[in-house]
Amino acid sequence: MTALRRIGTSLAAPALAVVVAVVITTLVILLIGQNPLTALQVLVDFGETPAQQTQAIVVILNRAVPLFLAGLAVSVAFRMGLFNIGVEGQYRMATVIAAGVGAAVVLPAPLHVLLIMVVAMAVGALWAGIVAVLKVTRGVSEVISSIMLNFIALGTASYLLTGPLRGSPEGAAIITTKEIPESGRFPAINGLFDVLGLAQPRGQLFGFLVVAVLVGIAVSVLLKRTRFGFDLRATGLSPSAATASGIDARRMVIKTMLISGAVAGLIGLPDLLGRTHSFGTEFTAGLGFLGIAVALLGRNSPIGIAFAALLFAFLDRAAVPLQFADIPASVVTIIQGTIVLSVVVANEIARQLTRRRAEHSTGQAAPPVQEPAGPAGTRIDARQEAGA
Amino acid sequence: MTKAAALLLAGSLALVACASDEKDSGAGSKGGSDGDLKIGLAFDTGGRGDQSFNDSAVAGVEKAIKDLGGKVQELSPNDDASNRAELLTQLAEAGYNPVIAVGFNYDDVIAEVAPQFPDTTFAQVDGSNADGKKGDNVTGLLFAEEQGSFLAGVAAALKTETNNVGFVGGVQSPLIEKFQAGFQAGAKAVKPDIQVQVQYLSPAGDFSGFGDPQKGKLVAQGMYQNGADIVFHAAGGSGKGVFEAAVEAGKRAIGVDSDQYLTASPDQQAVIMTSMLKRVDNAVENFIKAYAEGDVEGATDIVNDLSTGGVGLATSGGYIDDIADQIKDFEKKILDGDITVPTKP
């Protein structure tokens, strides 16, 4: 009975959020003088031919992979009550250095890819480690230091790109690192479509999808099935209680940030290893901030984040076809923003309802809340940061 | 939550499965200019309404449509511009021809997409394809920004009373460095001892410098405080901040790309001395007309410089009428080859 009720409340919140988001978006579309039904139709119309439809799926999955990794990176820290806003800088530094290393060495294929991944994770972890060390030794808020480190990362990555790691010829409009040779690229997994009996799309499905799934499983196991994961969640729920039960909070901060940073280091790799093969001035930026929104939407659970990433990617795909239908692509951003905001609000309402009901039925103090991700105040801040 | 998301997604996928396919198809008339023109226009970040080169490209397309008939489909990239390839592909797939990409950021993407659509004619504003590496069906529409900026430097040097001028670049990229190089060379050609302050709003790889009026204003304020009395900006949307700083300081500024005097507020019109024109509109219009007449070769660049009127100075407001002759002299020297304007600072 309680299990049923729990499922009921956990379903009610997102359902309410989606309804609110749909209503607000409908109003916005009406306000700009367009037909909301057309927009809805565009959202779900993947094209006429089978190849177009599978291509739409490729676009969605390719977009979802980095978003998922970004959300995962944010969520690991989140679960411990740490706010890693520095994911943006962590993946930028990781990608530029990994691209430089990948182009500089020659190795057999699997080792080459592995080396690039290890370098990226190490750089991401180190960059996040700075935040952790500052926090445990000097008490610097990780929010402040990670935001500041984003700017430093941006400048440093730019210096590395235009200086020592520059590979593009003088005068080329787009500055890039040297190309990673064939052996350092991640093969596409378009064979999947043949296996499933679907039409081959024109684009390539990132093979990194497999890595993302594995990383998701690994993080999930780590959080739920290990002593470390228990300590991490316990510290997130109540730092003082965790310390009292013998958990070294400082060590936990450092370990958590290193893991968060290592996952963040992977964000740029689907693109780097699967499509561009070099880091350049036009490399996709901003995924770290989107990751915050995705993590919030996914309520910090790996499966939730996977669905949140897919939902974001699904909406993003519509950006182009919406314009063909004369509806501004900003509609997508509005939907995404309202969904995240509504989910945050709905979560809070659901949380208080659960607590009130618990208090009511037992007549005792509230039990610990499930999966809180930092105080409510910081959650709202997160959205503002992401939107900034 | 997760279960709800699963349901939601399953629901939407189910909708997909039975999604109607009554969307109008444009794939029928592909290639060639036999029917009405269907022009595809893919913008750079900033999109329509930037009062800069995206808008200028629109103006060019509209002029061409006015003369030739036809229609245009405009597409803007998403916020992080990760879907550029999709923009070009979907335009080509839907039968739009020619497809015009605005901005050097399409360099890699157009090289990837164009070969997949050999029957479609592509053009890229600010992107070179002289070596044909992007495919035989891509034409580069280039501009000699350094020449126009040289004249802006000449005008600034002739007009400055403090012997001190400034340059605000949006993003420190090779393209914007062409503006800087030309401006510095022009200023020094008139007054060898002139001080030219140079500052960029963001480093290469960080495109925020093109859309940050606050920062543009701060930087320009600094330049005016350091003694500059004329600041030239090549900073896209951040230029609005430069104009604001000029108004507050009671100094002058030089606009870029389009005649910014025409779109400025009255108090800003008082300070916009001139604008370095980059006639993206003419280049786009001419390209479309050439396409309609079947004159597009592909795998070439069309360079728009002083000789073709592709770059130049705006005279709105009449602030530089008194030095028009001197500017003409320098223009002639460039055209005659007596002065070669550097493209790198």
Side-chain angles (χ1 to χ4, degrees), chain A residues 29 32-35 38 42 319-329 331, chain B residues 23 72-75 96:
Chain A
I29 297 174
I32 57 172
Q34 297 288 344
N35 185 352
T38 320
V42 171
V320 181
L322 274 176
Q323 296 182 61
F324 275 105
D326 279 333
I327 299 173
V331 165
Chain B
K23 231 193 121 195
V72 61
Q73 173 67 53
E74 301 164 6
L75 292 183
Y96 286 91

Side-chain angles (χ1 to χ4, degrees), chain B residues 181-261:
Chain B
F183 184 70
Q184 280 175 321
K188 298 234 153 101
V190 177
K191 291 184 178 162
D193 62 335
I194 195 169
Q195 192 192 339
V196 183
Q197 303 179 46
V198 174
Q199 211 163 326
Y200 284 87
L201 301 182
S202 66
D206 170 11
F207 285 97
S208 65
F210 285 133
D212 194 346
Q214 290 298 331
K215 203 163 176 187
K217 185 173 179 180
L218 271 177
V219 167
Q221 275 173 341
M223 288 181 169
Y224 290 127
Q225 278 159 14
N226 288 337
D229 60 350
I230 299 169
V231 171
F232 171 45
H233 88 83
S238 307
K240 287 175 202 148
V242 174
F243 296 148
E244 282 171 26
V247 170
E248 284 175 17
K251 307 278 172 63
R252 280 172 294 185
I254 299 176
V256 79
D257 289 346
S258 60
D259 187 352
Q260 297 199 290
Y261 178 91

Side-chain angles (χ1 to χ4, degrees), chain A residues 164-239:
Chain A
L165 295 180
R166 186 177 184 137
S168 54
E170 282 288 307
I174 299 180
I175 303 169
T176 60
T177 58
K178 283 203 193 74
E179 278 228 330
I180 296 175
E182 198 70 50
S183 59
R185 301 178 184 178
F186 213 106
I189 47 170
N190 280 35
L192 192 66
F193 292 101
D194 292 333
V195 174
L196 295 175
L198 296 168
Q200 271 297 333
R202 60 178 153 72
Q204 298 202 311
L205 180 59
F206 287 156
F208 214 80
L209 176 67
V210 179
V211 177
V213 171
L214 291 179
V215 171
I217 294 173
V219 168
S220 189
V221 169
L222 182 75
L223 287 179
K224 289 202 181 118
R225 300 266 181 265
T226 64
R227 164 80 197 272
F228 173 79
F230 177 78
D231 288 356
L232 187 148
R233 284 180 292 137
T235 318
L237 289 172
S238 168

